[in-house]
Amino acid sequence: MATLSFATSKGGAGKTTSAIILGTTLARKGHLVTLIDADPAGRLMDWHKQTLESSINLKNLTVLASEGEGTIADEIEWANSQSDFVLIDLEGAATMTNSVIMAESNLVLLIMGDEQQDAQAVIETVDQIGLLARMARRDIPFRVLFARTEAGRKNRLAQSLNEQVRRNLGSFSTELTRRMAYSALHSDGGDLYHLDSKETYGVDRAIHNAELLEEELQCFLELLKPLKEKERKHG
């Protein structure tokens, strides 16, 4: 089992959408998944409500709203007892609740687009993770996930920023580019596989993109297993 948190100190980077895409794709692959909305904005729960109202049944998936800092550790523990994967959508700010969640995470996904503000938010979060790791006396793995990026050729500034982040920080090769299908999840509910390709452009490409990311995530988590075993022995 793995606890994954989706973080950025800047709103609008695409962390909720990224959590939905990865969570539903993992569930579609047969894994038991719990999604936790720890963001007071509640966009993950809005999507869940829309899913229920659309009478869409997502197998292997549980969605719940966190009650906050005082309960989040217990919520993560319960979710881990029920699931193969626990994905947590963090608030877009540096908060104590976020610190608790990241300290409990096996992997923190740092969500950013191709903007300087996004890069600065990632740097701030990396500094926060470093402090938490020193306090916990363990490594807290993190990886950058580019989301809401342009599918075509990037402009010079975006290309330079992308290359700098990839060079200096670990990142997923796969990007969740801007796609109509990803936006449609919030209005229609459900997962990518429920979208009508006749009504939403590029559904097949969106699914392929999401499955590539899910496969890359699984490979990276396999690489982290020796670290997790070492922590368990010395914990």
Side-chain angles (χ1 to χ4, degrees):
M1 58 188 174
T3 300
L4 315 175
S5 54
F6 293 71
T8 175
S9 61
K10 172 183 174 292
K15 60 180 179 58
T16 303
T17 304
S18 300
I20 292 170
I21 291 168
L22 268 174
T24 54
T25 304
L26 286 164
R28 176 66 64 159
K29 298 292 185 180
H31 301 286
L32 298 177
V33 177
T34 297
L35 286 169
I36 301 178
D37 192 345
D39 187 346
R43 294 189 67 235
L44 182 59
M45 294 308 298
D46 289 342
W47 163 80
H48 181 51
K49 180 181 178 181
Q50 183 60 48
T51 299
L52 295 176
E53 290 178 350
S54 300
S55 300
I56 297 173
N57 180 25
L58 296 179
K59 295 181 179 179
N60 304 321
L61 189 71
T62 300
V63 185
L64 59 90
S66 173
E67 295 184 9
E69 179 185 338
T71 60
I72 187 61
D74 290 336
E75 291 161 356
I76 294 173
E77 182 178 3
W78 177 86
N80 271 311
S81 71
Q82 305 293 314
S83 313
D84 302 315
F85 292 91
V86 179
L87 282 67
I88 311 171
D89 185 21
L90 275 60
E91 182 175 357
T95 66
M96 182 60 71
T97 301
N98 283 4
S99 295
V100 173
I101 295 170
M102 289 190 286
E104 294 281 341
S105 297
N106 301 115
L107 176 64
V108 180
L109 287 81
L110 305 173
I111 312 302
M112 70 167 287
D114 285 331
E115 299 178 7
Q116 184 62 47
Q117 288 181 323
D118 293 337
Q120 184 59 44
V122 164
I123 292 171
E124 292 171 359
T125 308
V126 168
D127 289 342
Q128 185 182 6
I129 292 171
L131 177 60
L132 291 170
R134 289 194 294 273
M135 293 173 62
R137 296 184 180 180
R138 76 170 184 92
D139 289 332
I140 301 177
F142 62 84
R143 204 159 185 82
V144 174
L145 170 59
F146 284 93
R148 296 175 61 83
T149 55
E150 297 302 327
R153 185 175 180 179
K154 301 179 187 295
N155 63 47
R156 185 178 301 177
L157 179 59
Q159 182 65 34
S160 175
L161 189 63
N162 192 292
E163 291 174 354
Q164 288 181 47
V165 171
R166 291 187 181 281
R167 184 165 56 247
N168 295 301
L169 298 171
S171 63
F172 290 99
S173 298
T174 308
E175 298 185 13
L176 291 178
T177 55
R178 293 181 187 272
R179 295 181 185 275
M180 187 181 298
Y182 295 157
S183 298
L185 290 175
H186 292 278
S187 58
D188 296 355
D191 60 12
L192 294 170
Y193 305 86
H194 281 92
L195 295 177
D196 187 342
S197 59
K198 294 180 180 178
E199 296 181 0
T200 305
Y201 176 76
V203 172
D204 290 342
R205 289 185 179 182
I207 290 174
H208 179 65
N209 191 198
E211 291 182 343
L212 284 177
L213 179 59
E214 184 268 339
E215 291 171 6
E216 189 177 353
L217 171 68
Q218 295 277 31
C219 289
F220 186 68
L221 291 175
E222 284 295 319
L223 294 177
L224 291 180
K225 278 188 177 180
L227 175 63
K228 191 174 179 181
E229 287 297 322
K230 182 178 179 181
E231 289 175 355
R232 184 180 292 115
K233 291 179 181 179
H234 295 279

